[in-house]
Amino acid sequence: MTENSSSESKEEQSVNGDVFIQEEETATATVGAEPSSTGIDFEDTQSLDSASVFSTTTTTTTRSKSKSPNTRKLRKLCRRAKAPKMVQPLYKYSYHVREDHNHQIFGVQFNPFLDRSQAVFATVGKDRVSIYECVRNNLDVESADKDGIRLLQVYADPDTDESFYTCAWSYDTISGDPVLAAAGYRGVIRIFNIVKHQCAKNYIGHGHAINELKFHPVLPQLLLSGSKDHSLRLWNIQTDVCVAVFGGVEGHRDEVLSIDFDLRGDRIMSSGMDHSLKLWRLNKPEFKEAIELSSSFNASKNTAPFPTIKEHFPDFSTRDIHRNYVDCVQWFGDFVFSKSCENSIVCWKPGKLSAQRHEMKPQDSTTVLHHFDYKMCEIWFVRFAFNAWQKVLALGNQLGTTFVWELDSNDPNLTKCSQLMHPKCTSTIRQTSFSKDGSVLICVCDDSTVWRWDRVN
């Protein structure tokens, strides 16, 4: 797989669409192993200093640098643009490690449910799920750890053909223990209990690979998955049922690449290879009843399976924002940020700018507010990230450069953008993630490396 997993390692699967749980197959865990025994290469990072390169403020003069007959005209317009304003970078290089599987690392996520003093994150690549801790510089800790990243646990999937693409954090509503979900090429969702060092549950329902997982922002037991089988599924991992399936008549016509809940968990936005973005509402009576029923459902006491909702019709759909695969989408209040292979993140709103949520219709127009342009990112399955307050936006590109936008200006045209570079970081950055307090930015790359950048005080 060169750009998403589906182009190389995502082969066709024929898995029964019915939901069931696999208890017999569990992932093995290597817990608390030393770096030398886990294959993590803690490279010498003292010999090279980081480079932070100033960049231009974003403009709205062009939509994107997509391949079209107007490319030459767009380049001419870019040359006439006003000289860039220099901005001080928010982050500086701290440390990096290399995982030993020598494959792409597709996903990284910080655990947002821990105390601010704890910066724990997970990476997924090949058949591995790795959990790390960002160590604060402290002379009292051992020399191997004082530079910034310590490996805590590694899970190896029992099937060596597995390739994980995505992960998401939550917590057990009863014990409070951290919960990590991961999925990928085989279409199996694995639920890990980090405290007990085990793969606690496995879910199969999608017919193909799973490209992204997201937990509900209010109900931590609800997990959303988006798949190559053109559908989304909503799971209750507490009672092990599939609450709803989104797709079908008016659903996606190709792989679902990205999904996201809004802050209240009332709306889902999905995007995919069909160039479309679709909005699905969860605050409708039938979904509220199904979610409530799923929390008390007991399969051993019911002869009939759970009445999973089949939602064929999204509440809003558009293909007007992008002209290629839409591989990343996230809510920004009532606005949406999304990107394709066009060197631009688009900020837009479903419907008219003044329209209220309840006034929206499925085929309403869209309002584009701004384009955050960047360079050299014309492949897909490259994802951006916000910090917890959605004041900072980060995205990597094909050359190992990370673009960081400061979103604290009232005028989007005055948004500050800087670039983070390191001489050894030259591979495609697949995903970025911010720590809970925003002090650490982690980037993961195609060459199996994990990069830590610390916020400048």
Side-chain angles (χ1 to χ4, degrees):
M1 168 169 119
T2 56
E3 296 157 55
N4 184 345
S5 34
S6 81
S7 52
E8 173 184 329
S9 62
K10 292 185 180 181
E11 299 174 354
E12 295 295 322
Q13 289 178 285
S14 57
V15 180
N16 194 315
D18 294 332
V19 182
F20 63 93
I21 306 169
Q22 288 185 323
E23 294 293 351
E24 69 277 4
E25 190 178 63
T26 57
T28 57
T30 304
V31 184
E34 293 298 323
S36 59
S37 64
T38 58
I40 302 298
D41 179 12
F42 288 80
E43 301 183 7
D44 180 12
T45 58
Q46 303 302 321
S47 59
L48 290 172
D49 292 327
S50 63
S52 297
V53 181
F54 300 138
S55 175
T56 63
T57 56
T58 57
T59 67
T60 54
T61 53
T62 63
R63 179 189 159 94
S64 63
K65 185 187 170 186
S66 57
K67 296 178 181 179
S68 67
N70 294 324
T71 301
R72 293 180 182 176
K73 294 182 180 179
L74 294 178
R75 287 177 177 170
K76 289 181 180 179
L77 288 174
C78 291
R79 293 194 194 104
R80 298 172 190 167
K82 191 177 179 180
K85 178 183 178 182
M86 297 295 184
V87 295
Q88 185 67 30
L90 286 181
Y91 291 84
K92 63 179 180 180
Y93 168 77
S94 175
Y95 196 62
H96 72 282
V97 298
R98 185 185 301 274
E99 297 184 358
D100 71 334
H101 50 72
N102 296 321
H103 284 76
Q104 297 153 308
I105 302 177
F106 285 109
V108 58
Q109 291 293 335
F110 270 97
N111 185 348
F113 302 105
L114 298 178
D115 185 80
R116 290 180 182 273
S117 61
Q118 295 178 283
V120 174
F121 66 92
T123 65
V124 289
K126 190 56 176 71
D127 59 348
R128 311 285 182 81
V129 178
S130 304
I131 301 174
Y132 299 89
E133 180 181 12
C134 290
V135 181
R136 309 296 180 182
N137 290 334
N138 189 338
L139 298 177
D140 295 333
V141 298
E142 296 181 10
S143 59
D145 295 333
K146 70 180 182 181
D147 291 310
I149 297 178
R150 178 170 61 208
L151 180 67
L152 299 179
Q153 300 175 24
V154 177
Y155 296 89
D157 196 87
D159 187 342
T160 56
D161 290 332
E162 176 65 285
S163 181
F164 287 111
Y165 304 148
T166 179
C167 62
W169 288 94
S170 186
Y171 60 91
D172 189 291
T173 54
I174 299 174
S175 65
D177 293 343
V179 171
L180 177 65
Y185 163 67
R186 292 183 62 225
V188 180
I189 300 175
R190 299 207 178 270
I191 307 296
F192 300 98
N193 186 308
I194 307 305
V195 174
K196 296 180 179 179
H197 307 147
Q198 66 179 8
C199 178
K201 297 178 180 179
N202 308 281
Y203 298 114
I204 292 181
H206 284 293
H208 288 296
I210 295 172
N211 291 319
E212 190 159 38
L213 297 173
K214 286 285 179 72
F215 275 99
H216 194 279
V218 179
L219 302 173
Q221 71 273 23
L222 295 184
L223 174 64
L224 183 68
S225 55
S227 172
K228 181 180 178 179
D229 67 5
H230 309 179
S231 73
L232 295 78
R233 285 179 179 252
L234 183 65
W235 310 81
N236 188 319
I237 65 170
Q238 186 176 10
T239 55
D240 307 325
V241 298
C242 181
V243 181
V245 178
F246 304 87
V249 179
E250 293 293 334
H252 286 280
R253 290 288 179 263
D254 209 329
E255 292 194 37
V256 178
L257 296 179
S258 187
I259 52 180
D260 194 39
F261 289 101
D262 68 357
L263 289 176
R264 297 177 180 174
D266 291 338
R267 296 174 294 175
I268 296 169
M269 185 65 72
S270 62
S271 66
M273 283 188 176
D274 56 2
H275 309 185
S276 71
L277 294 116
K278 297 183 184 293
L279 186 153
W280 314 81
R281 291 188 182 276
L282 288 181
N283 57 355
K284 295 186 283 191
E286 58 268 32
F287 283 106
K288 289 183 178 180
E289 292 175 7
I291 291 171
E292 185 176 354
L293 178 62
S294 72
S295 298
S296 59
F297 187 81
N298 190 331
S300 62
K301 296 181 180 180
N302 290 271
T303 56
F306 183 84
T308 301
I309 292 180
K310 310 294 193 301
E311 180 59 84
H312 292 269
F313 301 96
D315 295 275
F316 175 84
S317 181
T318 182
R319 284 169 51 93
D320 296 337
I321 305 299
H322 300 285
R323 292 167 288 180
N324 210 322
Y325 299 168
V326 187
D327 59 354
C328 190
V329 61
Q330 290 194 44
W331 286 96
F332 186 78
D334 284 336
F335 303 123
V336 178
F337 275 57
S338 60
K339 68 167 285 290
S340 181
C341 319
E342 304 163 331
N343 286 322
S344 182
I345 298 174
V346 183
C347 176
W348 59 281
K349 184 178 185 296
K352 296 181 180 179
L353 188 61
S354 59
Q356 300 298 315
R357 296 184 187 183
H358 62 275
E359 298 174 345
M360 192 185 310
K361 297 180 181 179
Q363 301 302 325
D364 273 356
S365 61
T366 58
T367 303
V368 174
L369 300 170
H370 192 67
H371 292 263
F372 297 87
D373 297 325
Y374 46 89
K375 298 178 181 178
M376 292 306 297
C377 191
E378 297 175 352
I379 62 175
W380 56 288
F381 218 81
V382 176
R383 305 175 187 274
F384 58 80
F386 290 104
N387 69 349
W389 304 277
Q390 294 191 316
K391 293 292 186 181
V392 183
L393 173 67
L395 172 74
N397 72 357
Q398 292 170 250
L399 303 181
T401 300
T402 303
F403 295 84
V404 179
W405 290 270
E406 301 174 51
L407 307 178
D408 53 359
S409 174
N410 292 328
D411 184 354
N413 292 299
L414 300 179
T415 301
K416 299 176 183 177
C417 177
S418 60
Q419 299 178 29
L420 309 178
M421 294 181 177
H422 190 279
K424 284 188 176 181
C425 187
T426 57
S427 183
T428 299
I429 297 174
R430 289 292 175 176
Q431 191 169 26
T432 59
S433 183
F434 290 92
S435 61
K436 186 174 183 178
D437 62 1
S439 63
V440 179
L441 171 63
I442 296 291
C443 307
V444 293
C445 301
D446 274 2
D447 61 357
S448 306
T449 54
V450 181
W451 297 80
R452 172 178 172 175
W453 298 81
D454 289 350
R455 180 143 186 163
V456 179
N457 293 327

